[in-house]
Structures are given as structure tokens and as C-alpha cells.
Amino acid sequence: MIPVTKPYLPSRERLDAYIDGIYERRWLTNNGPLMRQLTQRLEEYLGVENLLLVSNGTLALQIAYKALGISDENNALCPEAITTPFTFVATSSSLQWEGVKPVFADIDKHSWCLAPENIEAEITHNTRAIVPVHVFGNACDVEAIDKIARKHDFKVVYDASHAFGVDYNGESLLRWGDAATLSFHATKLFHTIEGGAIIFKRRDDFERAEKLISFGLVGPETIDGPGINAKMNEFQAAMGLCVLDEIHDNLKARKNIVEQYRSQLPSSIVQQQLHTEITTNYAYMPVVLNSEKQVIQLLDQLQKQGISARRYFSPSLNNAGFGNGTLMPISQDIASRILCLPLYVDLSVAELGNITKIVGEVVTL
């Protein structure tokens, strides 16, 4: 079986060395030395400050909303956040979990990211934030979104789960917004098995979130307020350090595979239009076919050959019980026709050639 993705597993010897240290110290969690080392190395690699490691990417979003005052249990009015319907369900479910109503604005048909020109029409007196997504690592129109946020005094939290290592105009894309969150799930380009991170613009927001992820504790016998347990443990950090050690080779292999796909796929296949000022991390291989019928046919033909692909993201979240019940025609259209093809570092030339051959046969039917 050829899966749509495979978790990247680094050198076993390198991982064993980190784990040996954990056994020697018997320090498994609670701000351990490997977690602190990973924090420092990620800030250096990504070119950011105020990076807070957490136990998964969904909690990263929830902690960001809480730290920035978007979710406020003392607010009598239900706060709202304008977001995209074309994303993984965690973007919306994390808002709803925190008592924030997700209100959708439609996406741009080329970038597949939240379209700034659609945001203003969805603003109400309850709007507190904008939560855009850098879809498949492609940059949102961050300047336009920032302009809207400053005009209305909204917070901006970028779901940057796919944007690890992406630069925009020579600086980390993660620097935009009041916060940007990352997922380090096992299937991601960079992972810690499970895990995530929040990058805050301001130090005081970072310090507030740091208390939140450890039960609200600020000392052994001092509680600053309500909190939750969202800490990253030392075994997660060990995996992250190993994966980071090998990130260059990982990116090089993925770039080669994506370039082969792009050269071999039929010209009728629609691919995401990337922002001209970003670097690419080759995290996914999404394609848009001519119709939903074609997607179903292709999935069937791939499955017969033992190849797994994924309708990612489908359905559009406004059709999945979230949001304000309005139609999102562009998101719904893209969601009905999109498919992510297999992409992982040891996908062979022959396997890739077989995949593109099957795609070509289906789209020319």
C-alpha cells in the first residue's frame, strides 16, 4: 500500500542518545532540558521569538485564543471570529470549544486562503478576531488582513499548521499576526509525534500563555488563575530535536518529489497559486480536478492499485455544522474537486510515475 503520507522517522541512533539522557536524568516533563533546547533551536531555525511549545496543535490554537482574550468566559455576548471554511476541522472546532463562534468568509479561488475582501461583510458587534489559515503552507494576504484588523481593533491568530519554515519577504511568515500556531503532529513536515507551538508577537502574551499551559501555576504553591495541562514532554522534544537535525535532507527529498509531480501531471490539473514572495516547504501535493465525479473515479483507480489519496480539505466546513449557515461557493467548489496525492521522503520514482500515469488516464476520460 502506498499511503498518502508517512511519518518521517529520524536516525534511531540519534534518538536513542537523547532517550538515554532522559533515562539518566529521570526528568520526563515540566519544562525539561530537551524541551528548552528544542524551544531555543526552533526559534533560531524559524527566525522568531516568543515560541511556546505545547502538547498538540489544537491546544496551540485554544491557548492562543485564551491568552489573547478572544475567548472570555466572563463576556455576556458570544464572541465571534471570522475564519475560513477551507481548512482542517480543528481550526473551527477549537474556536467553538472555547466559546467563540466561527463565522466564515469565502476563500480566494487561486491561493485557497481566506480572501480579505470577503472579511468586512461578516463583521458584527461581536467580532473579536480573525483566524486565517496559511493553507498548505501558502501565505495569506497578510498585509490586507493586518490592515483590516488594525482598523477594527481585532486580534489575528494565524493557523500556520502547514507553514513550518516558510519565509515571507525574507522573514518568517510566523511573525505575522498577534499569534501564529504550528502543529507538530506525526504527519507534518516537522513533528514531535504529537505537539505544537505558538509564536506570539508580544512577550506579555507569551508569558500569559506560559502560565495557562501549566494549570495556571506560577510557583509550587501559587496559582495565578485557571489553566490547563498543555505542556510538551521530554520524549516529544527528543523526537523533535532528531527531526530538526535532519530537516535539510527531508526538505531536499520532498522538493525533488514535488518537482517531479509538477513536471509529470497533466496541464489540465489545477494547482495552488503560491504567493510570489514566499519560500516553499513542500509539505503537501494538492491538485484540483475538473469535477467531483473525476475525483471519485481517480480515488477508485488509485485504490485498485494500492495507492491512498485524500480529499483534503473536504467537506467545506460551512457544510459540516459550523459557521453562520451561509453558502461559501468558492470553498465548496474547491473542496469538492481537491485531492492530495501521496508525498513522503521515500516515495520512489517508479511509484510517483505510476500515480501520475493513473491521474493522466482519469482526467482524459
Side-chain angles (χ1 to χ4, degrees), residues 46-207:
L46 297 171
V48 298
E49 301 87 33
N50 302 324
L51 183 146
L52 182 67
L53 292 173
V54 293
S55 51
N56 65 63
T58 304
L59 277 169
L61 287 164
Q62 291 175 233
I63 295 297
Y65 306 148
K66 192 74 80 175
L68 293 169
I70 298 166
S71 56
D72 182 358
E73 60 272 15
N74 296 318
N75 193 335
L77 298 174
C78 177
E80 297 177 355
I82 297 171
T83 188
T84 170
F86 189 68
T87 179
F88 185 59
V89 64
T91 312
S92 287
S93 63
S94 60
L95 281 165
Q96 193 160 306
W97 195 274
E98 289 298 321
V100 182
K101 180 182 178 181
V103 175
F104 294 129
D106 211 350
I107 62 173
D108 177 80
K109 66 180 180 179
H110 302 295
S111 71
W112 308 344
C113 296
L114 179 65
E117 62 269 22
N118 295 331
I119 292 175
E120 296 259 14
E122 306 302 331
I123 294 173
T124 73
H125 64 281
N126 289 336
T127 306
R128 301 275 286 277
I130 306 171
V131 182
V133 178
H134 297 307
V135 177
F136 301 124
N138 193 21
C140 296
D141 188 342
V142 290
E143 283 98 344
I145 291 171
D146 182 66
K147 184 176 180 180
I148 295 169
R150 284 189 283 107
K151 175 182 175 182
H152 297 278
D153 195 26
F154 293 156
K155 301 292 186 182
V156 179
V157 177
Y158 280 102
D159 183 337
S161 296
H162 296 171
F164 183 88
V166 175
D167 285 346
Y168 173 74
N169 277 332
E171 288 191 332
S172 175
L173 181 59
L174 304 174
R175 287 179 168 272
W176 286 88
D178 297 282
T181 68
L182 290 166
S183 169
F184 297 155
H185 184 266
T187 57
K188 294 294 189 288
L189 166 69
F190 170 84
H191 75 89
T192 59
I193 307 174
E194 285 276 7
I198 317 165
I199 294 89
F200 288 100
K201 177 175 287 185
R202 291 172 293 274
R203 189 67 185 179
D204 58 340
D205 294 329
F206 167 87
E207 291 171 353

